[in-house]
Amino acid sequence: MSAFETAPDAPSAHRLYELLPSVYRVRDSEQGLALRALFGILETQYAALEQDIEALYEDWFIETCAEWVVPYIGDLLRVPGLHAGGVGSFSLRAYVGNVLGSRRRKGTAAVLEQMAGDVSGWRARVVEFGLQLAATQHMNHVRRARPAFASVRAADALALLDGPFDATCHTAEVRHADSGRGRHNLPHIGVFLWRLQSYEVERGAAFALGSAGRHTFHPLGLETPLFNNPRPEPDITHLAGERNVPGPLRRRRLYRELEALRAGTPQPEFFDEQPPFRVFLDGAASPLEPRAIAICDLEGWEGWTAPRVADASIAAIVDPERGRLALPAGSTASRVELSYAYGFSGDVGGGPYNRNDSLAGLLGEASTVWWRGVSASSGTASGPVYARLADAVHAWNEWNDANDGQAGVIALLDSATYTEELTAASGVRLRGKNRLIIVAARLRSSVSTLEGYPDHIPAPASDLSRLLDADGLRPCLRGNVSVQAQFSEGGTSLHVNGLLVEGRVDVLAGDLGALELAHCTVVPGPEKITVSAAPATENDNAHLSLRLERSISGALVVPETARELRIADSVVDAGAGAGAYAISGNASGTQHAAPVYVERSTVRGRMRAKTLELASESIFTDEVRATRLQAGCARYCYLPEGSQAPHGFRCQPDLALLTRARELSAEPSLASAADLPAGEADRIVARMRPVFTSLDYGDPGYMQLARACAPELRTGAEDGSEMGAFSHLRQPQREANIRQCLGEYLRFGLEAGIFFVN
């Protein structure tokens, strides 16, 4: 049976026809099955009606209804009008489902916490600041756990000071909590929120630094803190603990738990049946036992030799706050794999989140799909699976040379690191109307073995997600990639989905039709994605459409001879170099780029293009220079001073300057930004500059707009969300939902403040 044949227990495709008496079916068989063909048409309409009836039944229940039905069910329960999240953002389904139970318990800290999480999609913890006041205690109600003075010996408690899990007593503060400034007072409540999300990597390859047993959890050798993969709370009355939120792991907390485990007095909170990280040595099927792991501060380990440990049972030393791992002296492990979680703002770039929606339509009109898999443990996989990505690309090139108008899929089946150069003879080749899809995805469990299809499989109704499950994987390619297409009027295309690429991606001389990077990371830096410039005698890549979707990339070099450059929900980062070009036609920035479309993206670096066809809800940190100002538009964007862009609509800082000029003018309708005093204009321009949590790739808050950023940028998109690559998260709407619901669930006389942990 093929991968897509009907299973034996599946319903028949001719149910209505089989209800006819046998005599009619026999006669119909003798006359060419015309009656069965007619009933086949009726069966199609019957199936559509049946599906519609099933959907109507499911829409009666909040657990199974379609997303568009949620506000209608909420209206029946008199749920106030709240902002609903978009695709990949958040849903109000949980809030509507829990609203009756929440109303029965309103006024309690647990319900405030549940409400904040349901209407925002953020993890939350509610703190009653009145219980943390240092006060003279009544002899009939002595709180021994609340001493008036902090102990300087309690390092673990001091590390939590002023945070959501602070247990130290404080003196009273008179500032208001609802402004986010005041905290500790009798009527004050704190709602602490975690904006960052936790992403779990399963058996990713560690990065080895030299031969002294030093490794980093990040596959490219970056130092990134490990995060907790939050566990659900047991019931609605439970207040969140450190295990229930996506925060960074703390050394002292893990050290204390592992030491208790080795001493025979286990207090499992983190190292239970689902520990926060696991270590696999030499391809072992089972991870190290927690008691074989030591927690240490691995600062200043450059130039050291493998450490010796007093306990012979210790097989690995981990620093969770730096994302480092060391093997003790005497260890013979040559291969280290790690399961862990890291923090990031949202589903952008190469990550182990669900990407199945992005697979639809990639196959086009292909009748068959050439397929190869890649896995570091290829010996355990079924079908045509290679251990090296270069071998799969070589097999594709051979197939590509002999076939036309077909689609090929290379699926990376694990989160391993592949150190290979896919350039020159090992680069990707395309001809005719062929398209190649390189995707990080596993075979679905419902798909039967592909052993019988060594070369190709039937096309799964143009929906690749029926064959592959693009979830839970983040493979890494440490090397460069080149792609070359024959001159065929741009019919060829290369689609890359879900990869983390350390090197460059180069489009060589030829006629590639489309290069699409979706949910990928090409590590930021200069000249990371380049397209061959057109010689005078040839029209190289004139049909090329370069598209970035939900990706992180370094600088883009796309000459103006290419058809277009489209960037959506992405980060383009040229690095920290002064005056570096993020988008241009050549490396030095002296030539124009192809026509550019930028939507909901963040561009760090200068841009030089002949035409800026569209800039929408985006942030440009450095000057933008477009030559043709008659074409294109910029809307709801931040464009730095000195930029030369087409007509703008509600762009900053021009909008803020105009608004202030009208406020100061006696005739607002005639005022312009040029009327502002120089000092006033400079203050507005300085205030409007975007501020990011971090500009270093690998940090959890990379390219996240900081809370200190001007509110005009944090709410400046068309729908009221923030400008830039994380506009789809709709964070201002989430915060507005919480503030709107606080009045219903907060006890009379209390005052609540919202505090962001990260």
Side-chain angles (χ1 to χ4, degrees):
M1 185 176 70
S2 79
F4 301 100
E5 288 179 14
T6 305
D9 56 349
S12 171
H14 303 286
R15 290 175 296 172
L16 297 180
Y17 181 74
E18 291 173 356
L19 294 176
L20 292 174
S22 300
V23 61
Y24 296 114
R25 284 182 282 153
V26 171
R27 182 174 298 177
D28 182 48
S29 177
E30 295 172 349
Q31 298 180 3
L33 299 175
L35 186 60
R36 190 176 76 166
L38 174 62
F39 270 77
I41 298 174
L42 298 176
E43 178 71 33
T44 302
Q45 300 303 314
Y46 173 73
L49 179 62
E50 188 178 47
Q51 185 177 3
D52 188 54
I53 293 174
E54 290 178 357
L56 288 173
Y57 177 76
E58 291 177 348
D59 287 344
W60 279 98
F61 307 98
I62 189 63
E63 295 88 350
T64 58
C65 69
E67 189 64 32
W68 66 270
V69 182
V70 171
Y72 291 92
I73 297 179
D75 189 57
L76 296 175
L77 300 171
R78 296 187 181 275
V79 172
L82 300 174
H83 298 283
V87 177
S89 181
F90 66 100
S91 171
L92 296 177
R93 187 187 301 272
Y95 178 64
V96 175
N98 293 328
V99 68
L100 293 180
S102 297
R103 286 171 176 169
R104 295 190 189 104
R105 300 173 176 85
K106 65 170 55 178
T108 63
V111 163
L112 284 174
E113 185 177 286
Q114 179 76 30
M115 176 276 298
D118 287 346
V119 301
S120 68
W122 287 322
R123 296 281 179 157
R125 175 179 168 84
V126 169
V127 177
E128 298 176 81
F129 286 129
L131 300 179
Q132 296 183 348
L133 285 176
T136 303
Q137 301 188 33
H138 196 285
M139 294 303 295
N140 291 334
H141 184 54
V142 178
R143 296 180 295 163
R144 296 181 179 177
R146 295 286 183 181
F149 296 97
S151 172
V152 295
R153 295 184 178 90
D156 196 34
L158 293 177
L160 300 173
L161 200 63
D162 288 333
F165 305 106
D166 183 8
T168 306
C169 286
H170 298 255
T171 55
E173 190 171 1
V174 297
R175 291 179 295 184
H176 288 283
D178 55 8
S179 65
R181 301 178 66 194
R183 296 200 180 190
H184 302 93
N185 206 337
L186 288 174
H188 289 181
I189 300 292
V191 181
F192 287 87
L193 302 168
W194 281 259
R195 287 201 297 166
L196 296 183
Q197 303 178 46
S198 182
Y199 295 91
E200 190 172 11
V201 177
E202 185 68 24
R203 295 201 72 150
F207 181 86
L209 294 168
S211 58
R214 297 178 299 151
H215 299 77
T216 63
F217 279 73
H218 195 281
L220 300 181
L222 305 178
E223 292 189 10
T224 58
L226 306 187
F227 269 57
N228 173 48
N229 193 25
R231 297 290 176 261
E233 299 179 49
D235 54 68
I236 197 173
T237 62
H238 182 271
L239 287 176
E242 285 190 80
R243 193 65 168 116
N244 307 118
V245 297
L249 299 175
R250 298 188 298 116
R251 290 192 203 97
R252 290 186 179 275
R253 182 67 186 85
L254 300 185
Y255 173 82
R256 188 173 69 247
E257 186 169 323
L258 288 179
E259 288 301 306
L261 178 63
R262 279 189 279 269
T265 57
Q267 301 172 348
E269 181 181 356
F270 285 88
F271 289 95
D272 50 13
E273 67 279 358
Q274 293 181 305
F277 61 84
R278 290 170 291 165
V279 181
F280 300 82
L281 300 181
D282 289 331
S286 301
L288 293 178
E289 292 290 332
R291 65 179 67 250
I293 300 173
I295 303 296
C296 295
D297 183 354
L298 295 178
E299 182 182 11
W301 67 349
E302 292 79 6
W304 76 338
T305 58
R308 297 187 179 276
V309 293
D311 189 346
S313 65
I314 299 298
I317 305 168
V318 173
D319 183 346
E321 295 184 13
R322 289 189 170 86
R324 292 177 169 183
L325 178 144
L327 299 178
S331 174
T332 59
S334 59
R335 178 181 171 190
V336 180
E337 295 173 299
L338 305 163
S339 294
Y340 63 98
Y342 67 94
F344 196 56
S345 300
D347 297 351
V348 176
Y353 51 86
N354 193 316
R355 295 170 281 103
N356 285 317
D357 290 344
S358 64
L359 302 185
L362 288 182
L363 294 177
E365 302 298 327
S367 58
T368 59
V369 180
W370 176 94
W371 181 86
R372 288 292 185 274
V374 180
S375 173
S377 54
S378 57
T380 62
S382 63
V385 179
Y386 298 109
R388 298 176 67 249
L389 180 56
D391 294 337
V393 171
H394 176 72
W396 158 257
N397 289 338
E398 291 184 342
W399 167 268
N400 166 77
D401 292 341
N403 295 272
D404 189 11
Q406 302 299 332
V409 176
I410 297 178
L412 285 88
L413 306 173
D414 54 24
S415 296
T417 297
Y418 299 90
T419 305
E420 307 175 31
E421 288 290 332
L422 303 181
T423 57
S426 299
V428 177
R429 295 200 305 269
L430 293 161
R431 65 181 294 273
K433 303 293 183 182
N434 288 345
R435 63 174 58 198
L436 176 63
I437 303 162
I438 302 178
V439 58
R442 297 185 181 94
L443 283 171
R444 289 197 175 274
S445 58
S446 59
V447 176
S448 60
T449 179
L450 299 174
E451 288 283 3
Y453 299 92
D455 292 321
H456 65 277
I457 56 177
S462 298
D463 187 359
L464 194 57
S465 62
R466 290 183 56 193
L467 169 65
L468 300 173
D469 181 16
D471 188 14
L473 296 178
R474 188 188 67 172
C476 174
L477 174 62
R478 299 195 62 212
N480 300 311
V481 180
S482 68
V483 54
Q484 186 174 34
Q486 293 182 0
F487 288 93
S488 58
E489 297 185 355
T492 57
S493 60
L494 172 64
H495 305 264
V496 185
N497 190 299
L499 267 68
L500 170 59
V501 181
E502 184 184 34
R504 295 161 44 111
V505 177
D506 297 316
V507 180
L508 304 181
D511 192 20
L512 183 64
L515 172 60
E516 180 184 67
L517 279 75
H519 302 280
C520 290
T521 296
V522 181
V523 176
E527 300 180 66
K528 279 295 185 171
I529 300 180
T530 65
V531 177
S532 170
T537 57
E538 293 183 87
N539 195 14
D540 279 356
N541 299 307
H543 301 91
L544 174 62
S545 173
L546 176 58
R547 301 191 291 269
L548 267 66
E549 178 79 23
R550 289 282 186 96
S551 294
I552 298 173
S553 171
L556 309 176
V557 179
V558 185
E560 61 180 296
T561 52
R563 182 159 63 96
E564 62 183 13
L565 169 60
R566 291 184 177 269
I567 305 169
D569 300 290
S570 299
V571 174
V572 179
D573 184 1
Y581 278 89
I583 300 174
S584 63
N586 60 353
S588 60
T590 58
Q591 296 181 11
H592 300 102
V596 179
Y597 300 78
V598 184
E599 300 178 77
R600 300 173 303 279
S601 297
T602 302
V603 179
R604 183 189 180 197
R606 303 170 70 184
M607 189 185 90
R608 183 182 178 89
K610 190 167 187 177
T611 306
L612 181 57
E613 296 287 350
L614 175 64
S616 176
E617 302 164 283
S618 298
I619 292 176
F620 300 85
T621 65
D622 215 327
E623 82 170 6
V624 175
R625 307 290 289 180
T627 302
R628 294 181 58 190
L629 302 182
Q630 305 92 336
C633 71
R635 54 193 298 275
Y636 300 97
C637 290
Y638 173 81
L639 296 167
E641 270 197 308
S643 294
Q644 182 176 297
H647 176 71
F649 177 72
R650 301 190 69 81
C651 290
Q652 300 291 358
D654 292 346
L655 179 61
L657 293 171
L658 179 60
T659 302
R660 182 57 176 163
R662 288 175 174 173
E663 291 174 355
L664 299 178
S665 175
E667 298 184 23
S669 60
L670 301 178
S672 68
D675 299 332
L676 280 176
E680 183 75 9
D682 291 342
R683 282 192 294 272
I684 293 175
V685 170
R687 182 179 64 85
M688 295 298 299
R689 290 194 182 100
V691 180
F692 300 96
T693 304
S694 173
L695 293 174
D696 297 327
Y697 171 71
D699 286 353
Y702 173 68
M703 284 299 174
Q704 176 192 58
L705 281 184
R707 295 290 299 173
C709 192
E712 290 91 340
L713 301 187
R714 290 192 287 110
T715 60
E718 183 177 11
D719 62 357
S721 59
E722 68 182 58
M723 298 178 182
F726 300 109
S727 175
H728 66 278
L729 297 179
R730 297 170 63 87
Q731 300 194 77
Q733 287 88 338
R734 301 184 190 212
E735 184 177 349
N737 283 351
I738 298 175
R739 295 190 184 279
Q740 184 174 346
C741 292
L742 279 175
E744 180 180 357
Y745 293 95
L746 195 63
R747 227 172 59 201
F748 178 76
L750 297 184
E751 184 179 295
I754 294 178
F755 304 92
F756 290 92
V757 182
N758 49 33

